[in-house]
């Protein structure tokens, strides 16, 4: 027959362990003992499923006789109690668990989960930094390309205005030169003046469009503005995938994970 040897502690009886056995669940036995008039609940410090539990209990009590106080109460430490059970029962133990082991397991699990979370967040930040660094390298080229596109666009408009000016004023100018009986040299000179006027008009129009109507940002402001927008968008995109990863790992209950998910980290 198998049963469980247990060690219980009680806050109201400090320094003592109640070492006994049961053929039922240890937690149930601890609850039963609470009805004996003790002011605090019993805590299961250690339990071991063994063969011949009643005989094993007597042997354990005998092993710890120097610590015996009264009935099943002993003034030994938990480690001494565990040592006694393992020594007496040897190969007869099928299963054992102590509160210390349980707490250690919990602490180890929390530690490993925090390591996982730290690694995930570190990878998240490194990925964002890498993408932003790459964007910083290409933004100056994008700025030059954008500036050139705008200049080409407005240069075309300015040239059209200059040609339109030339076409509009040419007939009247030719009539005026004909009436004044200009010789060939003056005709050529007048024609060149018209071309120069058209060129000047296109330059004025281009200046008005680029410098007055359309103000292109400086290179520094352009890079900062586009980098801020890119950083925000990429952060939101990668944050979503990172949150999914955190949730798939079951780490969302950790405080730092909550801070990350809610944008506080």
């Amino acid at each position: 027959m198998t049963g469980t040897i247990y060690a219980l502690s009680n806050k109201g009886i400090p320094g003592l362990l109640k070492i006994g056995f049961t053929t039922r669940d240890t937690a149930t036995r601890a609850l039963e003992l609470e009805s004996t008039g003790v002011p605090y609940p019993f805590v299961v410090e250690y339990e071991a499923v063994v063969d011949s539990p009643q005989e094993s209990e007597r042997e354990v009590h005998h092993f710890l006789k120097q610590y015996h106080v009264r009935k099943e109460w002993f003034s030994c430490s938990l480690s001494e109690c565990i040592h006694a059970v393992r020594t007496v029962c040897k190969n007869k133990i099928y299963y054992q668990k102590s509160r210390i082991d349980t707490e250690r397991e919990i602490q180890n699990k929390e530690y490993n989960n925090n390591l996982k979370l730290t690694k995930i967040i570190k990878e998240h930040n490194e990925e964002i930094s890498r993408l932003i660094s790459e964007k910083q390298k290409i933004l100056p080229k994008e700025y030059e390309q954008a500036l050139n596109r705008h200049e080409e666009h407005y240069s075309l408009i300015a040239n059209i205005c200059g040609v339109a000016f030339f076409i509009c004023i040419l007939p009247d100018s030719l009539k005026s030169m004909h009436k004044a009986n200009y010789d060939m040299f003056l005709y050529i000179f007048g024609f060149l003046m018209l071309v120069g006027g058209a060129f000047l008009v296109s330059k004025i129009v281009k200046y008005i469009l680029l410098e007055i109507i359309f103000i292109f940002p400086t290179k520094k402001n352009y890079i900062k503005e586009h980098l801020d927008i890119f950083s925000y968008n990429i952060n939101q995109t990668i944050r979503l995938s990172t949150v999914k990863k955190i949730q798939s790992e079951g780490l969302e209950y950790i405080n730092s994970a909550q801070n990350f998910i809610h944008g506080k980290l």
Side-chain angles (χ1 to χ4, degrees), residues 122-138:
K122 182 182 178 183
E123 290 173 352
H124 166 88
N125 293 332
E126 286 176 350
E127 179 66 6
I128 289 177
S129 297
R130 182 185 66 80
L131 292 172
I132 289 175
S133 178
E134 290 177 356
K135 188 67 175 177
Q136 280 178 317
K137 293 177 181 177
I138 64 174

Side-chain angles (χ1 to χ4, degrees), residues 31-180:
L31 288 172
E32 289 175 350
L33 291 170
E34 287 183 26
S35 63
T36 58
V38 291
Y40 298 100
F42 280 91
V43 176
V44 180
E45 298 286 349
Y46 175 74
E47 57 183 322
V49 177
V50 299
D51 278 330
S52 306
Q54 189 171 11
E55 180 185 347
S56 297
E57 180 205 41
R58 283 197 301 268
E59 292 176 0
V60 170
H61 285 181
H62 180 73
F63 190 93
L64 295 171
K65 60 183 179 180
Q66 60 178 316
Y67 302 107
H68 186 245
V69 176
R70 186 171 178 269
K71 293 185 178 180
E72 293 183 342
W73 290 95
F74 293 81
S75 62
C76 62
S77 65
L78 179 59
S79 60
E80 289 168 332
C81 170
I82 294 173
H83 173 68
V85 175
R86 290 175 178 174
T87 301
V88 169
C89 298
K90 294 182 181 178
N91 298 327
K92 295 191 295 183
I93 298 176
Y94 295 100
Y95 166 83
Q96 59 181 330
K97 181 178 72 173
S98 71
R99 186 170 60 85
I100 294 175
D101 292 336
T102 303
E103 290 177 352
R104 188 179 293 116
E105 287 175 8
I106 293 171
Q107 289 172 354
N108 288 338
K109 185 176 181 180
E110 289 178 349
Y111 176 76
N112 290 331
N113 285 341
N114 278 305
L115 282 181
K116 284 183 184 178
L117 179 64
T118 301
K119 183 180 178 182
I120 290 172
I121 293 177
K122 182 182 178 183
E123 290 173 352
H124 166 88
N125 293 332
E126 286 176 350
E127 179 66 6
I128 289 177
S129 297
R130 182 185 66 80
L131 292 172
I132 289 175
S133 178
E134 290 177 356
K135 188 67 175 177
Q136 280 178 317
K137 293 177 181 177
I138 64 174
L139 270 175
K141 294 179 182 178
E142 290 182 359
Y143 172 82
E144 298 297 337
Q145 291 170 355
L147 184 61
N148 290 335
R149 283 196 301 270
H150 287 296
E151 285 187 346
E152 289 172 3
H153 176 69
Y154 289 122
S155 293
L156 178 62
I157 295 174
N159 290 335
I160 291 172
C161 291
V163 171
F165 170 80
F166 179 79
I167 292 172
C168 290
I169 202 170
L170 180 62
D172 291 336
S173 298
L174 289 175
K175 286 179 182 178
S176 298
M177 287 188 286
H178 180 71
K179 287 181 181 179

